[in-house]
Amino acid sequence: MTVQSSPQRVSFDPAEMDTGAFYRVLNSVVVPRPIAWVVTQSAEGVHNLAPHSFYTVACVDPPIVQFTSVGRKDSLRNAEATGEFTVNLTPEALFERVNATGTDFPAGESEAEHTGVRLEPSDTVSVPRVAQSPVSLECALHSTLRLGDSTVVFGRVVHVSVWETAVRDGRARIDQLRPLARLGGNEWSTIGEVKEIRRIPYRKWAEDPSIGEQVRGD
């Protein structure tokens, strides 16, 4: 095997850096990140709407998604108080409104009302969903996990609703969803070019040496 030299690298050591500075490094290299547009409801009935970009699927069976609250944000407090929340996809068409819901409005004020985002009743949980989002995951709080200054919130998905126009052949289609993603700093991303490729079964890899040659660029 020919060993080729790689470009020079810059090192970032969390033990030697300010927490905020290293946080900015992580945000700029763990990219792109999907956004959980989380609707929660306080014990007093006030709705909170906030984007969380530390978000992914945590488990398939049972279906569980997770988002991280950096600090004790309203999303976390409300989910703990009521045991329910919805996670809504952030569509490209609502870019400025999604960003605006990240404003640090005082507790007890509705981001949806401030930004003109329309909420509507969910199908199975008492917390509403975003009417203008093509996808909503209705979740029951499964558990939380405290990690340093952050808390991971796990929600069991009890229902998924998708706009009929975005579903084809039994699944949602990315060209109809047009989701936003977060990058580093103030940077965001759209889906851009979509590439499609099948996984290679080992049986085919073993039977046909040309597959490996093509992948390696031999």
Side-chain angles (χ1 to χ4, degrees):
M1 178 182 294
T2 302
V3 178
Q4 297 179 339
S5 61
S6 63
Q8 288 292 109
R9 295 176 180 265
V10 177
S11 295
F12 299 93
D13 187 343
E16 298 179 355
M17 296 177 64
D18 173 77
T19 300
F22 195 75
Y23 172 76
R24 289 190 290 274
V25 172
L26 281 180
N27 260 8
S28 66
V29 298
V30 182
V31 291
R33 299 186 304 281
I35 304 165
W37 209 9
V38 179
V39 179
T40 57
Q41 183 172 294
S42 71
E44 294 73 33
V46 178
H47 296 138
N48 180 268
L49 174 61
H52 294 269
S53 70
F54 292 177
Y55 162 58
T56 191
V57 176
C59 184
V60 174
D61 186 15
I64 294 174
V65 294
Q66 68 180 71
F67 72 90
T68 298
S69 174
V70 180
R72 287 194 58 81
K73 302 289 179 60
D74 289 340
S75 299
L76 169 60
R77 286 192 289 265
N78 292 348
E80 290 177 332
T82 67
E84 294 179 332
F85 58 91
T86 64
V87 175
N88 304 270
L89 181 139
T90 50
E92 182 180 342
L94 297 184
F95 175 39
E96 293 186 354
R97 293 186 185 185
V98 174
N99 179 63
T101 58
T103 300
D104 57 342
F105 293 109
E109 295 190 14
S110 170
E111 291 82 0
E113 291 183 8
H114 277 295
T115 60
V117 175
R118 185 165 60 87
L119 303 180
E120 66 181 9
S122 296
D123 291 322
T124 63
V125 299
S126 61
V127 177
R129 64 193 177 207
V130 175
Q132 296 142 293
S133 173
V135 179
S136 180
L137 312 181
E138 300 178 18
C139 300
L141 181 64
H142 177 275
S143 58
T144 61
L145 175 63
R146 180 73 179 272
L147 297 170
D149 67 348
S150 301
T151 302
V152 185
V153 180
F154 297 93
R156 178 163 183 159
V157 181
V158 296
H159 186 77
V160 177
S161 63
V162 184
W163 286 353
E164 184 178 16
T165 54
V167 176
R168 190 168 67 252
D169 298 328
R171 68 179 178 90
R173 296 295 173 161
I174 195 69
D175 60 318
Q176 298 298 313
L177 303 183
R178 306 296 301 179
L180 291 165
R182 284 290 277 123
L183 306 176
N186 294 320
E187 299 166 332
W188 298 62
S189 175
T190 58
I191 59 172
E193 179 186 2
V194 177
K195 296 186 177 183
E196 187 170 348
I197 188 171
R198 291 182 179 273
R199 291 190 180 182
I200 306 169
Y202 176 72
R203 176 181 55 80
K204 289 189 175 182
W205 187 288
E207 291 175 352
D208 186 355
S210 68
I211 295 177
E213 293 170 358
Q214 182 177 357
V215 171
R216 294 188 300 269
D218 294 348

